[in-house]
Coordinates of all heavy atoms in Angstrom, one line a residue:
A130 N 129.6 104.5 -26.4 CA 128.8 105.0 -25.3 C 129.3 104.4 -24.0 O 129.8 103.3 -23.9 CB 127.3 104.7 -25.5
S131 N 129.1 105.2 -22.9 CA 129.4 104.7 -21.6 C 128.4 103.5 -21.2 O 127.3 103.4 -21.9 CB 129.3 105.8 -20.5 OG 128.0 106.4 -20.5
E132 N 128.7 102.8 -20.2 CA 127.9 101.6 -19.9 C 126.5 101.9 -19.5 O 125.5 101.2 -19.8 CB 128.6 100.8 -18.7 CG 129.8 100.0 -19.2 CD 129.6 99.1 -20.3 OE1 128.6 98.3 -20.2 OE2 130.4 99.0 -21.2
D133 N 126.3 103.1 -18.9 CA 124.9 103.5 -18.5 C 124.2 104.3 -19.7 O 123.1 104.7 -19.5 CB 124.9 104.4 -17.3 CG 125.8 105.6 -17.4 OD1 126.2 106.0 -18.5 OD2 126.0 106.3 -16.4
G134 N 124.9 104.4 -20.8 CA 124.3 105.1 -21.9 C 124.1 106.6 -21.8 O 123.4 107.2 -22.6
K135 N 124.7 107.2 -20.8 CA 124.5 108.6 -20.6 C 125.5 109.5 -21.2 O 125.3 110.7 -21.4 CB 124.5 108.9 -19.1 CG 123.3 108.3 -18.3 CD 123.3 108.6 -16.9 CE 122.1 108.0 -16.2 NZ 122.1 108.3 -14.7
L136 N 126.7 109.0 -21.6 CA 127.7 109.8 -22.3 C 128.2 109.1 -23.5 O 128.2 107.8 -23.6 CB 128.9 110.0 -21.3 CG 128.7 110.8 -20.1 CD1 129.9 110.8 -19.2 CD2 128.3 112.3 -20.4
L137 N 128.6 109.8 -24.5 CA 129.2 109.3 -25.7 C 130.5 109.9 -26.0 O 130.6 111.1 -26.2 CB 128.2 109.6 -26.9 CG 128.6 108.9 -28.2 CD1 128.1 107.5 -28.3 CD2 128.0 109.7 -29.4
A138 N 131.6 109.1 -26.0 CA 132.9 109.6 -26.5 C 133.0 109.3 -27.9 O 132.6 108.3 -28.5 CB 134.0 108.8 -25.7
V153 N 133.5 114.4 -25.9 CA 132.4 113.7 -25.1 C 131.1 114.5 -25.2 O 131.1 115.7 -25.1 CB 132.8 113.5 -23.6 CG1 131.7 112.9 -22.8 CG2 134.1 112.7 -23.5
L154 N 130.0 113.7 -25.4 CA 128.7 114.3 -25.5 C 127.8 113.8 -24.4 O 127.8 112.6 -24.1 CB 128.1 113.9 -26.9 CG 127.0 114.6 -27.5 CD1 127.4 116.0 -27.9 CD2 126.4 113.9 -28.7
R162 N 130.5 118.2 -24.0 CA 131.2 118.4 -22.8 C 132.5 119.1 -23.1 O 132.9 119.3 -24.3 CB 131.5 117.1 -22.0 CG 130.2 116.3 -21.7 CD 129.4 117.0 -20.6 NE 130.2 116.9 -19.3 CZ 129.9 116.0 -18.4 NH1 129.0 115.1 -18.5 NH2 130.6 116.0 -17.3
D164 N 135.5 118.1 -22.6 CA 136.7 117.2 -22.8 C 137.2 117.3 -24.3 O 136.4 117.3 -25.2 CB 136.2 115.8 -22.6 CG 135.6 115.6 -21.2 OD1 134.4 116.0 -21.0 OD2 136.3 115.2 -20.3
S175 N 137.9 102.8 -24.0 CA 137.2 101.8 -23.2 C 136.8 102.5 -21.9 O 137.7 102.9 -21.1 CB 138.0 100.6 -23.0 OG 137.3 99.6 -22.3
W176 N 135.5 102.6 -21.7 CA 134.9 103.2 -20.4 C 135.1 102.3 -19.2 O 135.0 101.1 -19.3 CB 133.5 103.5 -20.6 CG 133.1 104.6 -21.6 CD1 132.9 104.5 -22.9 CD2 132.9 106.0 -21.2 NE1 132.6 105.7 -23.4 CE2 132.6 106.7 -22.4 CE3 133.0 106.7 -20.0 CZ2 132.3 108.0 -22.5 CZ3 132.7 108.1 -20.1 CH2 132.4 108.7 -21.3
T177 N 135.3 102.9 -18.1 CA 135.1 102.2 -16.8 C 133.6 102.1 -16.5 O 132.8 103.0 -17.0 CB 135.8 103.0 -15.6 OG1 135.4 104.4 -15.7 CG2 137.3 102.8 -15.8
P178 N 133.1 101.1 -15.8 CA 131.7 100.9 -15.6 C 131.0 102.1 -14.9 O 129.8 102.3 -15.2 CB 131.6 99.6 -14.7 CG 132.9 98.9 -15.0 CD 133.9 100.0 -15.2
D179 N 131.7 102.8 -14.1 CA 131.0 104.0 -13.4 C 130.8 105.2 -14.3 O 130.2 106.2 -13.9 CB 131.8 104.4 -12.2 CG 133.3 104.8 -12.5 OD1 133.6 104.9 -13.7 OD2 134.1 104.9 -11.6
G180 N 131.3 105.1 -15.6 CA 131.1 106.2 -16.5 C 131.9 107.5 -16.2 O 131.7 108.5 -16.8
K181 N 132.9 107.4 -15.2 CA 133.6 108.6 -14.8 C 134.8 108.8 -15.7 O 135.5 109.9 -15.6 CB 134.1 108.4 -13.4 CG 132.9 108.4 -12.4 CD 133.4 108.3 -11.0 CE 132.3 108.4 -10.0 NZ 132.8 108.2 -8.5
G182 N 135.2 107.9 -16.6 CA 136.3 108.1 -17.5 C 136.6 106.9 -18.4 O 135.8 105.9 -18.3
F183 N 137.6 107.0 -19.2 CA 137.9 106.0 -20.1 C 139.4 105.9 -20.4 O 140.2 106.8 -20.1 CB 137.2 106.1 -21.4 CG 137.3 107.5 -22.1 CD1 138.5 107.8 -22.8 CD2 136.3 108.4 -22.1 CE1 138.6 109.1 -23.4 CE2 136.4 109.6 -22.7 CZ 137.5 110.0 -23.3
Y208 N 144.5 107.2 -18.8 CA 143.1 107.2 -18.3 C 142.7 108.6 -18.2 O 143.4 109.5 -17.6 CB 143.0 106.6 -16.9 CG 141.6 106.7 -16.3 CD1 140.6 105.9 -16.8 CD2 141.3 107.6 -15.3 CE1 139.3 106.0 -16.3 CE2 140.1 107.7 -14.7 CZ 139.0 106.9 -15.3 OH 137.8 107.0 -14.7
H209 N 141.5 108.9 -18.9 CA 141.0 110.3 -18.9 C 139.8 110.3 -18.0 O 138.8 109.5 -18.1 CB 140.6 110.7 -20.3 CG 139.9 112.0 -20.3 ND1 140.5 113.2 -20.1 CD2 138.5 112.3 -20.5 CE1 139.6 114.2 -20.1 NE2 138.4 113.7 -20.4
R210 N 139.8 111.2 -17.0 CA 138.6 111.5 -16.1 C 137.7 112.6 -16.7 O 138.2 113.6 -17.1 CB 139.1 111.8 -14.7 CG 137.9 111.9 -13.7 CD 138.5 112.1 -12.3 NE 139.1 110.9 -11.8 CZ 138.5 109.9 -11.3 NH1 137.2 109.9 -11.1 NH2 139.2 108.9 -10.9
I211 N 136.5 112.3 -16.9 CA 135.5 113.2 -17.5 C 135.5 114.5 -16.8 O 135.5 114.6 -15.6 CB 134.1 112.6 -17.6 CG1 134.1 111.3 -18.4 CG2 133.1 113.6 -18.2 CD1 134.6 111.4 -19.8
G212 N 135.6 115.6 -17.6 CA 135.6 117.0 -17.1 C 137.0 117.6 -16.9 O 137.1 118.8 -16.6
V236 N 138.5 97.4 -20.8 CA 138.0 97.1 -19.5 C 137.1 95.9 -19.7 O 136.2 95.9 -20.6 CB 137.2 98.3 -18.9 CG1 136.7 97.9 -17.5 CG2 138.1 99.5 -18.8

Side-chain angles (χ1 to χ4, degrees):
S131 59
E132 289 302 316
D133 59 8
K135 293 183 178 180
L136 296 173
L137 185 82
V153 177
L154 197 70
R162 304 285 292 259
D164 307 80
S175 187
W176 288 89
T177 49
D179 58 12
K181 292 182 178 179
F183 51 76
Y208 175 73
H209 173 71
R210 186 172 292 275
I211 299 302
V236 180

